[in-house]
Amino acid sequence: MLLAASAARAELTTYTSQSAYLAAVGTTGVDTFDDLDIEPYDTPFPRTAGDISYVATTGPGNTRAYGASDDDIDWYLSSSRRTDSITFDTFGTPIAGAGGYFWGSDIAGYTVFAPYITVTATDSTGATLTYTITDPVPTSFLGFVSDARIVSLSVATGDQLGADGYGIWPTVNNLHLSVAAVPEPGTWAMLLGGLGMLCWTARRRQNQGSSSPR
């Protein structure tokens, strides 16, 4: 009963501060994408963020991903078509938190102004939350934390054009995957209250049993 009540209250929370996100989660692995280059990568694309394995997929128009960079040193992950999204899922370890830096780049892989970018997280209860980052830049962090388990994270720029009239490609860097969320004080209170109720019920039944005539 306690587990069922906890699942019913599961929800997704967003964090726009990396420090606040890290304070809300447990062990976190980060994929920097610095092993990429400006070349196509067929997806589904197996990757790791620290010790956590996952799969990156682009589509639905083209299933190839590309490396992108502004300086050929710090590399990012981008899609092959600007209208395609990038999705991260098939996590090798159950995760409660996922996030990273999300913004737009041009066809050559260079950072470009984007009016907005959307990031969507879905958890194991079926809850889905989409957050829109306005005027995103390479330091625009967004993280999701679920009381349950996150099963996918996707980013898209839609069919929008930049100020120069050219397309904008979804771009990701420093993908964060976190194994377990740290329970909020309210969650601890709910758990302790539920355990207290179970103990009280068990004791009451025991007392009733001992006082029954034989």
Side-chain angles (χ1 to χ4, degrees), residues 70-158:
D70 290 314
D71 56 12
D72 293 339
I73 298 175
D74 187 15
W75 288 89
Y76 329 128
L77 181 68
S78 185
S79 62
S80 181
R81 290 186 180 181
R82 63 187 179 86
T83 54
D84 286 339
S85 61
I86 306 173
T87 300
F88 308 103
D89 56 19
T90 318
F91 305 113
T93 300
I95 63 168
Y101 295 101
F102 307 98
W103 74 101
S105 61
D106 62 19
I107 193 172
Y110 296 114
T111 293
V112 66
F113 170 77
Y116 65 89
I117 192 168
T118 59
V119 187
T120 302
T122 302
D123 73 13
S124 55
T125 70
T128 297
L129 180 61
T130 297
Y131 188 96
T132 299
I133 306 175
T134 304
D135 302 337
V137 294
T139 55
S140 295
F141 180 86
L142 180 66
F144 294 86
V145 174
S146 173
D147 291 344
R149 175 173 54 88
I150 291 181
V151 296
S152 71
L153 183 74
S154 62
V155 55
T157 54

Side-chain angles (χ1 to χ4, degrees), residues 29-51:
V30 180
D31 189 350
T32 65
F33 301 109
D34 285 343
D35 60 315
L36 301 183
D37 204 339
I38 298 182
E39 60 180 72
Y41 297 89
D42 290 328
T43 70
F45 188 18
R47 301 284 303 174
T48 57
D51 294 330

Side-chain angles (χ1 to χ4, degrees), residues 82 105-107 112-115 159-169:
R82 63 187 179 86
S105 61
D106 62 19
I107 193 172
V112 66
F113 170 77
D159 197 23
Q160 63 181 313
L161 300 176
D164 56 4
Y166 292 97
I168 301 169
W169 276 253

